Amino acid sequence: MKRRTLLGAAAGVTAATLARPSLAQGKARVLRFVPEGNLANPDPVWTTTTIARNHGAMIWDMLYGLDASFQPQPQMVAGHELSDDRLTWRFTLRDGLMFHDGEPVRAIDCITSVQRWAKRRPLGQTLLARTDEMKALDDRRFEIRLNKPYSLVTHAFADNCFVMPERIARTDPFQQISEYVGSGPFRFLRDEWVSGSKAVYARFDKYVPRQEPPSFLAGGKVAHFDRVEWIVMPDAATATGALQNAEVDWLQRPDFDLISMLRGMRNVKVAVNDKVGVLAMLGINHLQPPFDNPKLLRAILSAVNQSDYMAAAVGAEPELFHVPAGVFTPGLPMANDAGMEVLTSPRDLAKSRQMVQESGYKGEPILLMSPSDYPVQAAFAQVTADLFKQLGLNVNFASMDWGTLVQRRTSKEPPEQGGWNVFPTTYEGLTVADPSSHPPLRGNGAQGWFGWPTSPRLEALRDQWMDAPDLAAQKKIAEEMQRVAFEEVPFIPLGQIYYPTAFRTDIVDIVPASFPIFWGVKRA
């Protein structure tokens, strides 16, 4: 065993050397935040919703965190050792790590958390497939022995792999946890959580931050607020008025129609901290008719006009969206033009209707789920319903809140028995930037993302990408994956969106990121 990358020399420095914020600031110590939606399911492993991930990042820490350059940096670990054959990884935890119940974080907690998380995330599933053994060496060290080199181990740990106590992490990953004891800078006040109304967090005064400055999900996570209140306000106008009147401090995602008004408000600032954006898409159920028919899916794809979707969702803010968008995030290395003519060629509805008829579609009802409390996705659903009708599809429009949609999309039953056929959603650009962590692009059937497409070709290409020797080879494989995706249609990309955020001008030092980060931020 040779030490290759024992990082984090500063990790051994205790919290005593890192300045703590003053506690005597009264009202200034409470941050009132309006999230993108309701925290209906607080288990970030069981569900892939971004709001559950945002919640998870507050209360649980990670072994590694991505910095502003999207590179993994040690977070809970002091660093790692890698053997010469690249098959044995050994990790050492840094000093001072503690759970919110006062118990120290141990190596077994980390191993168990990794194993639960890995069963639900693409990077983790690959890690499990390439692992012979994971074991704790003692309370501060654990080891992973691989059967095949996997250079993305630290990237995997930075992919929302939250460290929970062993007893919680032993929960089946397809069942929700019932206890929320964290390891991060904030405690979840479960007794004050009211789904549909609010979620409340308190600063964990025994959390030991790293010494480095905050950089996205890496560096020192210093909490300057004693209390953070997530206040659910589904009505965009109500939330905007609350911000204008200083009843709340920060709106995560103001309605696009209200951006111009917010820009003109006194003591309010609008910023676009997200430089990567999200990829909008239609999630498709491949298990149930009629979308178990690739010919029908190709017919629909031939009629999709991404500009229509962006206009409906974003409106008169063209700098906040990008089309065309393929299966990888535009602007990042794996994005390419392979097969893009299926989205960019002139739309011909008459030809698309003919393709629908030739596909063998027999008029089966299509249940389209629409989230009533997410305006962007609701707009996508309206455009989709109109398009389906123009194509002669028998569409049933089902509006529901996002929490209900998230619950329902887990069902593999037919729509008439509580299942579904299609729903609009978005995925953060970093998650769908390349094949390694792209859930909708998996072809692993029942083990995959909601919709469960089976594609041996996509899975084989993904494996090739993971072993590619350089960036050029990765890009070539990504091009072929996009071509296959446009043939088999695991999902339908709708465009790229950059979400703005709005906050009172006395809220400063927000860490630039694609989602809200609550360490570093303070009140001026």
Side-chain angles (χ1 to χ4, degrees):
M1 180 79 68
K2 291 187 178 179
R3 186 157 305 199
R4 292 279 183 86
T5 54
L6 187 54
L7 302 173
V13 184
T14 65
T17 63
L18 189 63
R20 291 285 191 182
S22 169
L23 298 179
Q25 296 183 27
K27 182 180 177 181
R29 305 296 301 166
V30 179
L31 178 68
R32 296 154 301 179
F33 171 76
V34 180
E36 63 184 63
N38 176 41
L39 179 67
N41 305 288
D43 183 348
V45 174
W46 178 84
T47 181
T48 60
T49 62
T50 55
I51 196 164
R53 188 279 319 281
N54 299 348
H55 156 83
M58 288 192 75
I59 69 172
W60 288 291
D61 212 348
M62 296 186 290
L63 298 169
Y64 285 76
L66 293 181
D67 64 15
S69 299
F70 312 129
Q71 296 302 310
Q73 302 296 338
Q75 192 58 38
M76 297 182 78
V77 302
H80 68 261
E81 298 169 293
L82 177 60
S83 62
D84 287 338
D85 60 7
R86 299 186 297 131
L87 293 177
T88 302
W89 295 70
R90 185 173 294 166
F91 300 88
T92 301
L93 297 177
R94 63 185 177 91
D95 293 332
L97 300 178
M98 184 178 294
F99 288 114
H100 297 166
D101 59 3
E103 293 296 319
V105 176
R106 304 163 301 153
I108 189 62
D109 300 307
C110 301
I111 286 291
T112 313
S113 295
V114 168
Q115 290 171 334
R116 180 175 190 258
W117 156 88
K119 294 175 183 177
R120 300 301 302 269
R121 302 289 292 191
L123 280 168
Q125 290 166 351
T126 303
L127 174 63
L128 290 180
R130 298 192 179 195
T131 294
D132 276 341
E133 183 181 29
M134 293 187 191
K135 64 179 180 181
L137 301 176
D138 51 43
D139 280 351
R140 291 194 59 202
R141 297 180 304 146
F142 64 94
E143 184 176 276
I144 298 178
R145 287 196 301 104
L146 305 176
N147 53 51
K148 185 178 183 179
Y150 186 35
S151 62
L152 297 177
V153 169
T154 58
H155 284 81
F157 288 166
D159 182 32
N160 306 323
C161 181
F162 299 115
V163 174
M164 306 176 179
E166 178 191 11
R167 67 181 184 280
I168 300 175
R170 288 195 180 280
T171 304
D172 187 308
F174 294 91
Q175 300 292 327
Q176 293 188 59
I177 60 175
S178 58
E179 192 179 357
Y180 301 92
V181 175
S183 53
F186 290 94
R187 294 183 295 112
F188 180 44
L189 303 186
R190 187 178 179 183
D191 290 346
E192 297 190 44
W193 171 45
V194 180
S195 182
S197 177
K198 67 177 182 178
V200 183
Y201 306 85
R203 183 173 66 89
F204 180 45
D205 58 6
K206 294 181 180 178
Y207 176 76
V208 178
R210 295 187 68 91
Q211 289 293 292
E212 302 91 340
S215 178
F216 191 26
L217 294 173
K221 299 180 179 180
V222 179
H224 294 280
F225 288 97
D226 288 331
R227 182 179 171 95
V228 177
E229 299 176 355
W230 287 15
I231 304 169
V232 180
M233 292 187 177
D235 183 75
T238 300
T240 300
L243 183 66
Q244 182 179 27
N245 297 329
E247 296 167 3
V248 298
D249 301 301
W250 186 0
L251 303 187
Q252 179 184 346
R253 286 186 179 175
D255 192 273
F256 283 107
D257 292 339
L258 300 175
I259 295 299
S260 179
M261 179 189 301
L262 284 162
R263 288 182 177 132
M265 287 182 182
R266 186 170 176 267
N267 296 326
V268 169
K269 182 177 180 180
V270 176
V272 182
N273 291 329
D274 181 5
K275 306 305 180 186
V276 176
V278 300
L279 187 65
M281 63 185 67
L282 292 179
I284 299 165
N285 189 339
H286 292 254
L287 298 182
Q288 299 293 340
F291 292 151
D292 56 348
N293 179 358
K295 289 183 179 180
L296 177 59
L297 293 174
R298 286 195 291 270
I300 294 171
L301 183 63
S302 74
V304 166
N305 186 331
Q306 291 187 340
S307 294
D308 289 346
Y309 281 90
M310 294 297 102
V314 180
E317 295 282 347
E319 70 277 13
L320 296 180
F321 69 87
H322 172 85
V323 294
V327 301
F328 300 108
T329 306
L332 296 181
M334 293 305 116
N336 63 82
D337 295 328
M340 285 291 283
E341 60 273 8
V342 301
L343 290 170
T344 59
S345 61
R347 304 290 88 176
D348 185 339
L349 279 176
K351 181 179 179 181
S352 296
R353 281 194 292 269
Q354 182 180 351
M355 291 175 65
V356 168
Q357 295 170 4
E358 293 174 350
S359 73
Y361 174 65
K362 299 180 178 61
E364 299 99 326
I366 296 169
L367 191 136
L368 166 61
M369 298 192 295
S370 172
S372 57
D373 48 350
Y374 275 60
V376 167
Q377 287 86 339
F380 292 157
Q382 294 285 352
V383 175
T384 301
D386 181 65
L387 177 63
F388 282 9
K389 290 174 183 176
Q390 292 184 63
L391 292 174
L393 302 179
N394 179 12
V395 59
N396 292 331
F397 191 91
S399 181
M400 63 196 75
D401 64 80
W402 180 244
T404 301
L405 188 154
V406 166
Q407 183 72 39
R408 185 164 183 170
R409 71 178 180 176
T410 65
S411 173
K412 297 177 182 176
E413 299 298 322
E416 63 272 18
Q417 297 178 25
W420 58 279
N421 292 115
V422 61
F423 71 97
T425 189
T426 59
Y427 242 108
E428 289 182 333
L430 284 180
T431 303
V432 294
D434 63 54
S436 68
S437 62
H438 197 313
L441 197 58
R442 292 300 303 270
N444 55 339
Q447 299 303 312
W449 187 63
F450 310 104
W452 311 286
T454 296
S455 173
R457 287 198 293 169
L458 282 176
E459 288 297 288
L461 285 167
R462 180 178 183 271
D463 288 342
Q464 292 175 30
W465 189 94
M466 302 289 275
D467 294 326
D470 52 39
L471 182 61
Q474 288 180 332
K475 288 184 175 182
K476 186 175 181 180
I477 296 168
E479 290 176 359
E480 184 60 23
M481 290 190 75
Q482 182 159 286
R483 290 190 186 94
V484 172
F486 287 147
E487 291 178 21
E488 301 188 359
V489 199
F491 69 97
I492 295 178
L494 304 177
Q496 181 185 29
I497 295 177
Y498 303 95
Y499 281 108
T501 191
F503 46 90
R504 301 288 299 179
T505 52
D506 64 341
I507 300 301
V508 299
D509 295 343
I510 293 176
V511 178
S514 55
F515 61 91
I517 288 176
F518 296 92
W519 52 86
V521 61
K522 61 174 72 76
R523 195 183 301 277

